[in-house]
Amino acid sequence: MAEDTVEKKSLLDSFAEVSAKVGNQVHLRSLRDAFATVMPIYILAGIAVLINNVVFPLFLGGDALANAQYWGNAVAQGTLNVATVVLAGIIGYCLAKNKRFENAIACVVIGIAALCIMMPQSVGSAAASIQDFTELTYKSTADKDADPYTVTREEVESGLAIPEGYEISSVGSNGVSNVFTKTYTGTNGLFGAIIIGLAATTVFIKFSENERLRVNLGEGIPPAVADSFNTMIPMLITLAIFGLVAALLHGIWATDLMTLINTCIAAPLKGFVNAGPWFVILIYTLANLLFCLGIHQSTISGVLAEPILTILITENMAMFASGQPIPADHYMNMQIINTFALIGGSGCTLMLLADTFLFSKSKASKDIAKLALLPGIFNINEPVIYGYPIVYNLPLIIPFVLVPNLFIGLTYALTCAGILAPCVVMVPWTTPVFISGFLAVGGGAAGVVAVIWQVVEFALGMLIYLPFMRVSERAQAKQAELASAEA
């Protein structure tokens, strides 16, 4: 029996050790820190999108609505539309801090500059003005099934008349130079920001560690000036390397790194995450098991799943703001987890507190529940995990892991079935249950359905937790009896 206990402890210790190493890997940790840093601007963008598309249309219309929505569009332009640029710089800063590099600000510059270097230097017709066109395509205003009517620039300049009942539907162009496109500065470029930000900063720090590449100006020089000269040559070399890579990609394959990342990495990863709930369930199973050993679940979920899921919800916000439908490969995202699978925090422990108040006979458990209730309403549940406790409490570990996984799977299935609307707003993770559900899907009738589903989840979670809570209390009472007998 003792040997079995030692073996189990050894297995748990090994699992915790491996998980801690994964969570503390410097690049993954920097990625987690960077997303945590920029999270406020995503939340602000979500609030702006919600107000623009749900609140303003309730009492405004026409020009008044357009003028009011200018506020939300301006906020989106400064948050969602530059999300990639901001993230590249913040990743550089966080990686520098985690590597204890002395000039972290220089890494912000490197991250942003390298990202811009790797972007395409011209964009297609979507960014072209009418003066730049090579052809115009018209569609019928009377017959939607009619074939489009296309004319070249030469035909337009020669005075060719356009048939009545047709309007311009698209502008063809050879491309526009010296511009950036929101395709890559906005949410669609976040994977590029991650890869380029990490790579450029790593290369820059490596060159900066070479003493021969530093410019020593002697004593009496202001620190800011000395730091800029110390990093000048490494910065020049790093950016020149990225410029060379960009030139080779353009010259040999007529492409750019951002396009390659979106096509070869971002799209498959998003597809993998949304192929079903199984990947997310696996990650959160491991993360919650880790929490039951006393190590915070973000050590695993924060580095392996949440960056990808956060990218998906930011893209949903951008699509919702522009009136586009949410594709099925964006149904699984960070907001589904926060809103429907972490009610009361990791493990959905708010249901356990409700069971404790209604059905528990343990005074100690009720005392802990009273202390943990207020934080739990705002999805902060460390008092439950360490005070109830959940940690190393086998009867409660089972529902702690089971309930969130069940809710992830069911919520995803209901979304795919069209019963629940996709999440389109990043709501602060501390938003209380029911309010979070209404806001996450954009309010309205869809929000009411989301709240109803959260009520069902709450009841189901209480039902699952109840027998395990009773077993836990019996086990604690038995342990107390044994301790008294031994004393």
Side-chain angles (χ1 to χ4, degrees), residues 313-385:
I313 186 59
T314 58
E315 291 180 354
N316 282 11
M317 285 193 293
M319 287 185 281
F320 181 62
S322 61
Q324 300 177 41
I326 307 302
D329 62 0
H330 281 61
Y331 286 173
M332 180 63 73
N333 54 66
M334 196 64 238
Q335 202 56 51
I336 272 191
I337 308 301
N338 287 340
T339 302
F340 299 104
L342 297 180
I343 297 174
S346 297
C348 297
T349 51
L350 197 57
M351 290 83 158
L352 173 62
L353 296 182
D355 279 336
T356 302
F357 284 119
L358 293 175
F359 306 111
S360 176
K361 297 179 181 179
S362 168
K363 183 179 182 301
S365 295
K366 287 191 173 183
D367 288 341
I368 290 294
K370 290 176 184 177
L371 294 173
L373 179 60
L374 184 59
I377 291 173
F378 296 96
N379 303 318
I380 300 168
N381 66 341
E382 277 76 6
V384 182
I385 290 169

Side-chain angles (χ1 to χ4, degrees), residues 26-27 30 34 84-117 192-209 214 224 227-228 230-232 234-236 238-239 242:
V26 67
H27 294 88
S30 300
T84 293
V85 179
V86 173
L87 184 63
I90 296 299
I91 284 176
Y93 181 85
C94 292
L95 182 57
K97 283 292 186 182
N98 286 326
K99 282 181 169 283
R100 303 184 187 279
F101 182 65
E102 57 188 13
N103 194 345
I105 295 298
C107 294
V108 177
V109 177
I110 281 292
I112 295 174
L115 175 75
C116 293
I117 286 172
I194 292 170
I195 294 171
I196 294 171
L198 291 174
T201 305
T202 302
V203 172
F204 171 66
I205 292 175
K206 193 68 177 176
F207 281 126
S208 297
E209 292 172 349
R214 296 191 175 191
D227 288 343
S228 66
N230 279 335
T231 59
M232 181 174 63
M235 189 177 290
L236 292 174
T238 302
L239 296 181
F242 275 81

Side-chain angles (χ1 to χ4, degrees), residues 440-460:
V441 298
V448 174
V449 174
V451 172
I452 293 171
W453 170 236
Q454 284 187 314
V455 171
V456 173
E457 283 187 308
F458 205 95
L460 183 58

